[in-house]
Amino acid sequence: MILVGALCLLDLLLTLGVIRRLREHDAHLRSLLPRGDRPPAGPPVPVARGERVGDFLATTVDGEPVSRDLLTGETLVAFFSPGCTTCKGKLPEFAAYVRDLPGGRDQVIAVVADERAEIGEMSRTLAPLARVVVEEFDGELSRAFGVDAFPAHFVVDGSGTLLATAPDLALLRSARNA
């Protein structure tokens, strides 16, 4: 019994040592990245109504640059994920909603968060409706808007100030009218 207890204690000490070394190794790797390439420390911080979204620079699947400084007029920015069943179910509603927006496709950015950052079926479905950006889950746009769940919808003005946000288009309509 004493031998088993001693082995368990030794195993626990070795495990704690490995965890400490992994944390040190992670910190060292983060310090080697250029400042702009470092992953965010902690969960995303949501942007509140009336605040400006963070800076971002991305490229659409069509090769067009998008950034906060390139926004013109009110722009709908929507976030989807191919692995999200709610996102897939809401695509027809999203399509109907954006068809009625003034400015059309130019005033809509659809962000597809995919762990492989590949252009897939969802991206191709959204392409006729919006300027589509495909990025990893913690990509620049997701960090700029503080996205932590999918789907997510934001309306920003030409300066990047958040006018309304909601996880659902019906709620977004209500937030816009409030």
Side-chain angles (χ1 to χ4, degrees):
M1 189 68 120
I2 295 174
L3 181 61
V4 171
L7 285 175
C8 288
L9 183 61
L10 178 63
D11 183 49
L12 178 64
L13 290 173
L14 289 173
T15 302
L16 291 174
V18 168
I19 291 171
R20 191 182 93 228
R21 291 289 295 162
L22 284 172
R23 286 185 179 159
E24 290 172 0
H25 183 70
D26 183 56
H28 176 69
L29 288 176
R30 285 177 186 260
S31 71
L32 295 176
L33 289 172
R35 194 159 203 55
D37 291 342
R38 292 184 188 166
V45 178
V47 179
R49 190 174 184 173
E51 292 181 353
R52 286 185 74 189
V53 299
D55 286 327
F56 62 88
L57 176 60
T59 305
T60 67
V61 295
D62 298 328
E64 176 187 357
V66 290
S67 72
R68 185 181 70 186
D69 297 333
L70 294 175
L71 296 175
T72 58
E74 288 190 10
T75 303
L76 171 64
V77 183
F79 291 82
F80 301 97
S81 173
C84 167
T85 54
T86 303
C87 296
K88 290 176 185 174
K90 296 285 185 176
L91 282 179
E93 180 186 358
F94 179 77
Y97 183 83
V98 299
R99 282 189 186 106
D100 296 334
L101 288 179
R105 183 180 184 274
D106 292 337
Q107 297 310 118
V108 182
I109 298 172
V111 181
V112 178
D114 186 357
E115 62 189 30
R116 296 174 310 275
E118 293 178 354
I119 300 171
E121 180 182 335
M122 184 174 276
S123 304
R124 287 188 286 278
T125 300
L126 290 166
L129 307 168
R131 297 175 289 164
V132 178
V133 174
V134 177
E135 66 178 17
E136 292 183 356
F137 286 107
D138 62 346
E140 279 197 52
L141 279 144
S142 296
R143 287 193 311 260
F145 284 84
V147 173
D148 61 356
F150 301 96
H153 306 87
F154 300 84
V155 177
V156 293
D157 67 12
S159 69
T161 301
L162 183 64
L163 302 176
T165 182
D168 186 83
L169 288 171
L171 295 173
L172 186 67
R173 286 184 191 104
S174 299
R176 296 286 320 258
N177 296 328

